[in-house]
Structure formats: C-alpha cells, structure tokens
Amino acid sequence: TPEYADGGYTWWTDFLFQGMFAATAATIVSGAVAERMKIGAFMIFTIIYVGLVYPIAGSWKWGGGFLDQIGFYDFAGSTLVHSVGGWAALVAVYLLGSRIGKFKNGKAQAIPGHNIPIATAGVLILWLGWFGFNGGSVLSADPALTSLTLVTTCLAAAAGGIGAAVLSGILYKNLDLTMFMNGVLGGLVGITAGADQMLPHTAILIGLIAGGIVVLSVALLDKCKLDDPVGAIPVHLFCGIWGTLAVGLFGELAGFDQFMVQLACVGITGVFCVIGGTIITLIVKSIAGLRVDEKEEEDGLDIAEHGTRAYGDFSIN
C-alpha cells in the first residue's frame, strides 16, 4: 500500500530484503562447520535458529524493542546479523569438534582450500553484494546518505584487506591471499553497524583494525583448538563486535555512554545467541547426530552426503 514505509518501498520488497539478511546468518554457520557436519543436521539447525533466535534478536532493535529504546545503534547488522551468525558458528564448532587431521601434537595444521581463484571471485562477489546489503539499508533513494554508505563500505573493505595483509606479512613473513580476502570481509562486517555515520577516513581506520582482528583471531582459534575452515568466526563474530563498538567510538553520538550501550547490547545479544544456539545444537545432536562418520569425512561430503563428485575424475584407467 502507499502508506507502507511512507511509500519508500513495498511489503514485498521488505520481505525479500529482510529474508536475505536472515539467510546470511545461516550461511555464516555453514562455513564454520564445513567438511564434517551432516547436511540434514545443518538444515534442521538453520530452520530453528533462523526461525526463532534471529528474528527475536533482530526485533529487539529493528522491531522497536528494548535495545532500540536504550539507544543501541546497528545500521545494517554488525551485531544483529553477523555476530548472531558468528555466535551460533562458535557454539556449533565447539560442539562439533575439529576436522580429522586439523590438529596434530597440539598444533594446527593447514588444510588448504581446493581453489583459491574461485574463492577470490567469491570475495569479490560478496564485496559487490555488500553495496546492496549496506546501501539498501538506507531504506530510501536518498542520494546523499546512500552515496556516503557506499563509499564508507568500499573504503572499509579495501582497508580491511590491507590491514590483514600487512599484519599477516609482519607475523608470518608472507602475503597470504586467504588472509587478505578474509580481511576484506572483516572490513565489510566492521563498517556495517555504522556505515551511514562514518566519515571516509574513519571508515578506513575501522577497516584497518578489522583486518588486524581477523589475523589475530584466526591465531586465537587455533590456540583454542577450534576448527573454522573458512574463518567465519573471526570475520563475522569478532569483526561484528568491533564494528558495533566502533559506533560508540566514532559515530554521530560517540562517547562513553553510547560505547557502554553498544557494549551492553553486544553482550546481551551474545548471551541470548549462545544459549539459544547451544540448546538447538544439542537437540539436533540428539535427534539426527551432528557429524558424518570418519570414512565419509575422509571420502568427502560431496560423495557421502550428495552422492556425486564435486570434481569429476576424468582419468583413464
């Protein structure tokens, strides 16, 4: 109807847009549990978590709930989307356990991805998609605010990649492309809470710090023996927390009071998601089990779970 959202968009547009936000929370978990979780168990978890935990947490701010009333600010979901998915990923990884061969003699072993060029293309697609994620969150065609949001989003992404590459180079004496790519994503997650409020130089600073957080939190997870194949927890949880707190440091209402509101709301959301995610994961474990067996994991889940090879074997015997 013309009255919906003051005529800025329709109910159907809103439904599609918000549905994609909800799906994002689920995809964050999928990367963290890759290569050892049953597809059926993951789907059951996703339906319950995205159907219950995500909308309740989101309503506390975007539905005019108590987080909104105490002044919490999260423009496009550093906490309400990314850390909601990140907390669930952390719980699932802890309860699921690491992949076979990930940790030997207490040390993390690198298990390389199958195709770095395709992974790079995926990051570029995400970078492009984030313009819709953040730009669309303006919820109008306001040219000034939309333009600022697009610029801060892009600058933070670029800075995140640079921050991760530089710190990774200092610590490990190499320019790890996968770390650079996760730095880009970390910068995007970090700017998401305040993309409409930041100046360009502030967006660059937020991105640089987010890139560094990615590198350090990857190392932290390895020390804690938590196996996250794609770095979903460093990118979405740790950088989501940082981006939310950055609003209290650099946003329009920056100051001690706003920072403490942001911090408290990060904590409240985290406790709710950890409790909810743990209950759901344990229920799914009791009903369907979480992990494939060892033989299926070693053969590959493309064969065991989907009945087909992801990569055809064209050799002639």
Side-chain angles (χ1 to χ4, degrees):
T1 63
E3 295 79 24
Y4 191 85
D6 297 323
Y9 50 92
T10 70
W11 186 92
W12 291 109
T13 307
D14 199 17
F15 170 79
L16 182 65
F17 190 66
Q18 298 300 336
M20 294 306 100
F21 272 50
T24 298
T27 62
I28 291 166
V29 182
S30 71
V33 301
E35 299 188 333
R36 75 262 201 216
M37 188 172 187
K38 294 179 179 178
I39 185 68
F42 172 72
M43 295 306 298
I44 296 170
F45 173 87
T46 296
I47 291 168
I48 301 173
Y49 192 80
V50 175
L52 291 177
V53 175
Y54 172 82
I56 291 173
S59 72
W60 290 345
K61 164 60 185 174
W62 292 335
F66 75 99
L67 298 187
D68 186 55
Q69 293 170 13
I70 65 175
F72 178 54
Y73 195 84
D74 190 359
F75 173 64
S78 285
T79 283
L80 298 176
V81 177
H82 295 282
S83 80
V84 166
W87 287 116
L90 182 63
V91 168
V93 164
Y94 176 76
L95 295 175
L96 190 60
S98 61
R99 290 168 293 172
I100 297 170
K102 176 60 180 177
F103 297 101
K104 292 181 180 178
N105 301 320
K107 291 188 177 181
Q109 308 297 312
I111 302 177
H114 74 279
N115 193 313
I116 296 300
I118 287 181
T120 305
V123 169
L124 293 175
I125 292 168
L126 276 170
W127 192 337
L128 176 64
W130 229 283
F131 292 134
F133 198 100
N134 284 0
S137 291
V138 174
L139 301 180
S140 76
D142 182 322
L145 194 55
T146 302
S147 297
L148 174 65
T149 300
L150 297 179
V151 168
T152 57
T153 297
C154 196
L155 289 175
I162 292 169
V166 169
L167 184 57
S168 178
I170 293 171
L171 294 178
Y172 306 116
K173 306 297 185 291
N174 63 54
L175 294 177
D176 185 339
L177 180 59
T178 62
M179 204 68 83
F180 170 81
M181 292 189 291
N182 270 343
V184 169
L185 299 180
L188 289 165
V189 172
I191 197 61
T192 290
D196 63 328
Q197 295 191 357
M198 303 305 172
L199 294 172
H201 67 276
T202 310
I204 293 171
L205 178 61
I206 290 171
L208 284 170
I209 294 173
I213 288 172
V214 167
V215 175
L216 296 176
S217 52
V218 166
L220 176 63
L221 288 186
D222 284 345
K223 276 190 170 295
C224 296
K225 295 183 174 57
L226 295 172
D227 183 14
D228 178 358
V230 302
I233 296 168
V235 167
H236 297 280
L237 176 55
F238 288 98
C239 291
I241 292 171
W242 157 239
T244 306
L245 298 180
V247 173
L249 296 173
F250 308 116
E252 292 176 358
L253 300 176
F256 179 77
D257 290 344
Q258 185 64 40
F259 181 82
M260 293 310 294
V261 167
Q262 298 296 108
L263 180 61
C265 293
V266 165
I268 292 167
T269 304
V271 169
F272 176 67
C273 291
V274 167
I275 293 173
T278 301
I279 292 171
I280 295 167
T281 304
L282 291 176
I283 290 173
V284 173
K285 184 177 182 179
S286 67
I287 294 173
L290 295 178
R291 286 190 73 132
V292 298
D293 64 37
E294 188 171 324
K295 173 76 164 54
E296 291 174 331
E297 184 176 340
E298 290 178 344
D299 288 344
L301 271 62
D302 52 346
I303 298 170
E305 293 281 275
H306 302 284
T308 187
R309 292 182 180 274
Y311 308 97
D313 182 3
F314 300 110
S315 61
I316 298 174
N317 296 323

